[in-house]
Amino acid sequence: MKIIETKNLVKRFNGVYAIDRLSIGIEKGQITGIVGPNGSGKTTLINLLSGVLKIDSGEIVVDGTEKITRILPHQVFFYGITRTFQNVRLFEQMTVLDNILVVITERNIFSSLFEKHIEYHHKIAEEVLQKVGLWKKKNQLAANLSYGQRKLLEIARALAMKAEVYLFDEPFAGLFPEMRKIVSVIVQELKQKNKTVILIEHDIGLIRELCDYIFVMNEGRLLAEGKPESVLERKEIIEAYFGN
Amino acid sequence: MGILPQLILNSIIAGAIYTLVALSFNLIYSTTKFFNLAHGVMAAIGGYAVFYFSKTLGLDIHIAIVLGVILTGFVGFGVDKFIYLQLRKRKASNMVLLVASLGVMTALQAIIAILFSSRFKTLSGNIDTQKIFTILGGVITQTQLVILLSAVLIMAGFVIFLYKTQFGKTVRAISDDEEVARIIGINTNKIIGYIFFIGSAVTGFTGILIGFDVGIEPTMGLSLLLKGVIASIVGGVGNIYGGVLGAFLLGFVENFGIWKISGEWKDAIAFALLIVFLIFRPRGIMNK
Ligand SMILES: Nc1ncnc2c1ncn2[C@@H]1O[C@H](COP(=O)(O)OP(=O)(O)OP(=O)(O)O)[C@@H](O)[C@H]1O
Ligand SMILES: [Mg+2]
C-alpha cells in the first residue's frame, strides 16, 4: 500500500525547476531511498512533503485518500509525517531534554498552562534520548552539543513524535562510525515497527544495505526507480551520479 | 542623608514600571520578531478602561481594574488576529509589520482621544486616603508599593510561565525557530495570539498602575514603550533577567542623572544610556 504519492509535482525557484513533474509512490512500512547528485531536488522534495515549501502544481496524496495541494507545516504533524533537516535545526536555547519534551507537550492551552509534564512524557523522552546516547547530556543547551550530537538529537526529536512517516535528509552525513551505527539501527527499528522511512543518502553502500526501494533523481526529474541492487547496476545511473 | 533615599526609591519604582513594559514587550518581540510600536498604547487602553469603568460607570475599583486588564488583553489579541496575523499569513516583511503597528498605534491613540479628550486624567481620586509610608528617610505611596509588589509578582509569574509550564516550552520553541515549532505540531499562530493577550494585559495593568501613581493621557504609551525597549536592549533582548536588570539600571541612571539638573533631561539621559550600550555592548548586559 502506498502511504504517500506525488502526482506531477512541480516546484520552481525563479523559473528554474527544482522538482519537475515528479510522480512517485512511497510504500508503507519500507525504507525508501532518494538518491541523486547535488542539486537534483532531493531536499526540495522533502520540503514539499513536510509543508516547508508550497507546491507550485501537482498534488500529494496521503494514505491513498487525502489529496493535498497545500500542506501547512503545522498540519504535517497530523498527517503523521515528521522530518529532519540537512542542516540540523534544533531549539538552540533549550536543553536537550526540553527539545524532546516540547514535541509531546499538551496542545490545549489550559492543560498546558496548569499541568506539568506527566510521567509518560518523561518516559518517552528518556527512551529516545537513551537510544541516541544523549540521556546523560539532557540538561545541556542544544547549542552546546557537538555536530554529531546535534544530528542525533534531531533524530531523537523526530522519534519522539511517534509519526508514521519519517523523512530523513542525509542523517548519516558527517557522522563518526559509532554514530552512523546508531542511526542505521534506528532506521531499521522503525521498519520493524512497520513505520515508513524516506532516506536521502549519498553513500551507495548504505543505500544498498538499508533501502528496500530507491528513486534516483536528476535535475528535479525521476531518472529511475526500483530495488537498489538492480537500479544501482545500471550504467546510465552511475554516470548521472558520478558525472563524467 | 538628604535627598539620597528618595532618589533610590524613585529609581526603584521607575525600574519596576520599566520591568513590566520590558518583559511584556520582549515576550511579544521574541515570538514575532517585529517591533510592535502599538505595544505601548495598551498602557493607555488599560488606564482609560479603568477610568471609564470606575468613574463613568461607577463600578467598584477592583472590578474596574480586572475588567480593564482583560479588555486590554482582548484588544491586543484582536489587533494580532485581524491585522498582524493577516499580514504574517501573506508573508509580510518585518518592515511592513512595523509600519502596520505604527498605524495601529496612531489609530488607537486617536480613538482614545476622541472618546475621552486629550486632557491629562488621574485614576487616584477613588482612593482618597492614599497612604504614605516612610522607608529609610524616603517616602513611598501606597500605589507605588503596589507597583513594586506587582513587578516582583509578575516577573516571578513570567519565569514560572516560561520555564515551568508546558505552554512556556512551546513559547520558547517558537522564539527559537517558528517553522520547526510548526513541524512538530505547534499551532504557532494560535500561541502567538495568546502571547498578544498576555503581553497586552500586562502592559494594560502597567498603564493602570501609572494612572493611579501619576495619571494617564492618550499618548502615554510611546515614551513608556521606548523606555521598555531601552531596558530590553540594555539588558539583552530576549532574556528575562536581562530585561529586569536593564529596567532597574535605566531607572537608576535616569533618576540619579537628574540629581543636580532639571527633570526635563530624563529622556535625553535614557537615550544616552541606550547609545552607550549600542556602541559598546550592543547585545546587552546578559548576552555575549
Ligand atoms: N529555497 C531555495 N531558493 C532557491 N533555490 C533553491 C532553494 N532550495 C533549493 N533550491 C535550488 O533547487 C535545486 C535543488 O536543490 P535541493 O536542495 O533540493 O537539492 P539536493 O538534491 O537536496 O542537493 P544536495 O545533495 O546538495 O543536498 C538546486 O538548484 C537549488 O539551488
Ligand atoms: Mg539536500
Side-chain angles (χ1 to χ4, degrees), chain A residues 31-199:
Chain A
I31 301 171
T32 303
I34 310 275
V35 297
N38 293 115
S40 57
K42 306 179 297 292
T43 298
T44 305
L45 173 63
I46 286 205
N47 284 339
L48 295 174
L49 293 178
S50 61
V52 169
L53 290 176
K54 255 165 71 178
I55 301 168
D56 284 347
S57 68
E59 63 186 24
I60 295 170
V61 183
V62 179
D63 259 341
T65 50
E66 206 112 26
K67 290 196 201 320
I68 313 161
T69 50
R70 195 192 233 173
I71 296 188
L72 293 172
H74 79 268
Q75 295 169 341
V76 167
F77 177 75
F78 299 101
Y79 291 122
I81 300 173
T82 184
R83 68 169 292 176
T84 64
F85 290 84
Q86 192 169 349
N87 300 312
V88 180
R89 284 168 78 173
L90 299 170
F91 300 117
E92 304 287 342
Q93 297 307 315
M94 290 166 67
T95 62
V96 167
L97 181 62
D98 279 354
N99 262 275
I100 303 297
L101 285 176
V102 71
V103 172
I104 38 191
T105 49
E106 278 293 335
R107 297 296 187 237
N108 175 298
I109 163 96
F110 291 104
S111 15
S112 76
L113 262 184
F114 299 113
E115 278 170 33
K116 296 193 73 175
H117 282 287
I118 50 176
E119 192 86 355
Y120 174 65
H121 291 167
H122 282 280
K123 249 182 65 191
I124 296 177
E126 178 166 0
E127 178 202 325
V128 298
L129 285 175
Q130 291 280 16
K131 189 162 278 173
V132 297
L134 286 176
W135 180 243
K136 284 202 191 70
K137 307 239 173 218
K138 62 177 188 284
N139 293 322
Q140 275 194 23
L141 280 189
N144 296 337
L145 296 180
S146 73
Y147 174 81
Q149 290 167 340
R150 292 166 57 79
K151 279 205 101 124
L152 290 174
L153 178 56
E154 199 189 32
I155 292 170
R157 183 175 70 195
L159 292 180
M161 282 180 62
K162 307 272 174 209
E164 278 304 313
V165 181
Y166 295 79
L167 314 175
F168 291 134
D169 197 346
E170 305 198 15
F172 297 98
L175 292 189
F176 291 118
E178 329 68 277
M179 287 183 170
R180 289 169 86 102
K181 185 84 196 112
I182 294 176
V183 178
S184 102
V185 167
I186 286 173
V187 169
Q188 281 162 324
E189 278 179 6
L190 284 171
K191 185 188 167 181
Q192 277 159 23
K193 290 187 199 148
N194 199 30
K195 306 292 178 200
T196 309
V197 176
I198 299 177
L199 188 65

Side-chain angles (χ1 to χ4, degrees), chain B residues 1 32 43 63 72 89 102 120 123 170-171 196 209 245 270 277:
Chain B
M1 290 285 277
T32 58
I63 293 175
T72 317
K89 278 187 177 163
L102 178 63
F120 191 81
L123 299 178
T170 59
V171 172
F196 267 94
L209 292 174
L245 222 61
F277 265 83

Side-chain angles (χ1 to χ4, degrees), chain B residues 39-260:
Chain B
H39 186 62
V41 191
M42 300 301 156
I45 291 178
Y48 279 92
V50 169
F51 181 85
Y52 178 75
F53 290 133
S54 68
K55 302 229 164 152
T56 312
L57 296 185
L59 294 181
D60 173 72
I61 189 70
H62 302 96
I63 293 175
I65 292 173
V66 172
L67 288 179
V69 170
I70 294 174
L71 179 86
T72 317
F74 274 112
V75 172
F77 180 81
V79 167
D80 175 57
K81 192 170 176 72
F82 296 110
I83 300 171
Y84 303 150
L85 175 60
Q86 306 309 322
L87 290 169
R88 287 205 303 277
K89 278 187 177 163
R90 288 166 179 74
K91 302 254 186 284
S93 69
N94 286 346
M95 181 50 86
V96 169
L97 282 157
L98 177 120
V99 173
S101 76
L102 178 63
V104 170
M105 179 188 92
T106 317
L108 288 175
Q109 272 180 11
I111 293 171
I112 296 173
I114 291 164
L115 293 177
F116 297 94
S117 93
S118 299
R119 281 213 335 272
F120 191 81
K121 290 187 166 57
T122 166
L123 299 178
S124 54
N126 282 33
I127 305 175
D128 306 317
T129 50
Q130 176 79 275
K131 280 205 203 88
I132 287 179
F133 305 91
T134 312
I135 303 173
L136 301 167
V139 273
I140 181 169
T141 66
Q142 191 180 12
T143 306
Q144 291 171 334
L145 214 55
V146 174
I147 291 176
L148 286 183
L149 215 68
S150 309
V152 173
L153 287 180
I154 289 175
M155 189 196 134
F158 265 73
V159 173
I160 293 171
F161 163 71
L162 281 175
Y163 291 93
K164 300 287 175 210
T165 67
Q166 295 187 43
F167 186 72
K169 219 165 270 165
T170 59
V171 172
R172 283 186 290 138
I174 294 172
S175 355
D176 227 309
D177 191 332
E178 194 195 340
E179 192 167 65
V180 177
R182 278 197 220 152
I183 285 168
I184 64 166
I186 296 172
N187 188 341
T188 58
N189 285 332
K190 198 163 131 191
I191 303 278
I192 289 175
Y194 295 138
I195 290 296
F196 267 94
F197 183 95
I198 297 168
S200 304
V202 169
T203 307
F205 183 62
T206 313
I208 296 168
L209 292 174
I210 295 172
F212 282 109
D213 188 29
V214 221
I216 49 177
E217 51 190 332
T219 54
M220 66 192 277
L222 187 60
S223 68
L224 191 61
L225 173 68
L226 291 177
K227 296 296 171 63
V229 172
I230 294 175
S232 302
I233 294 174
V234 166
V237 177
N239 186 309
I240 295 191
Y241 306 106
V244 177
L245 222 61
F248 281 97
L249 179 65
L250 178 61
F252 271 89
V253 169
E254 249 185 17
N255 282 285
F256 275 80
I258 57 165
W259 189 348
K260 304 278 186 209

Side-chain angles (χ1 to χ4, degrees), chain A residues 222-242:
Chain A
L222 184 60
L223 193 66
E225 64 177 289
K227 298 217 179 304
E229 51 281 14
S230 56
V231 172
L232 293 171
E233 298 304 317
R234 286 158 56 184
K235 197 164 146 278
E236 78 271 21
I237 306 297
I238 298 169
E239 261 170 22
Y241 216 96
F242 299 102

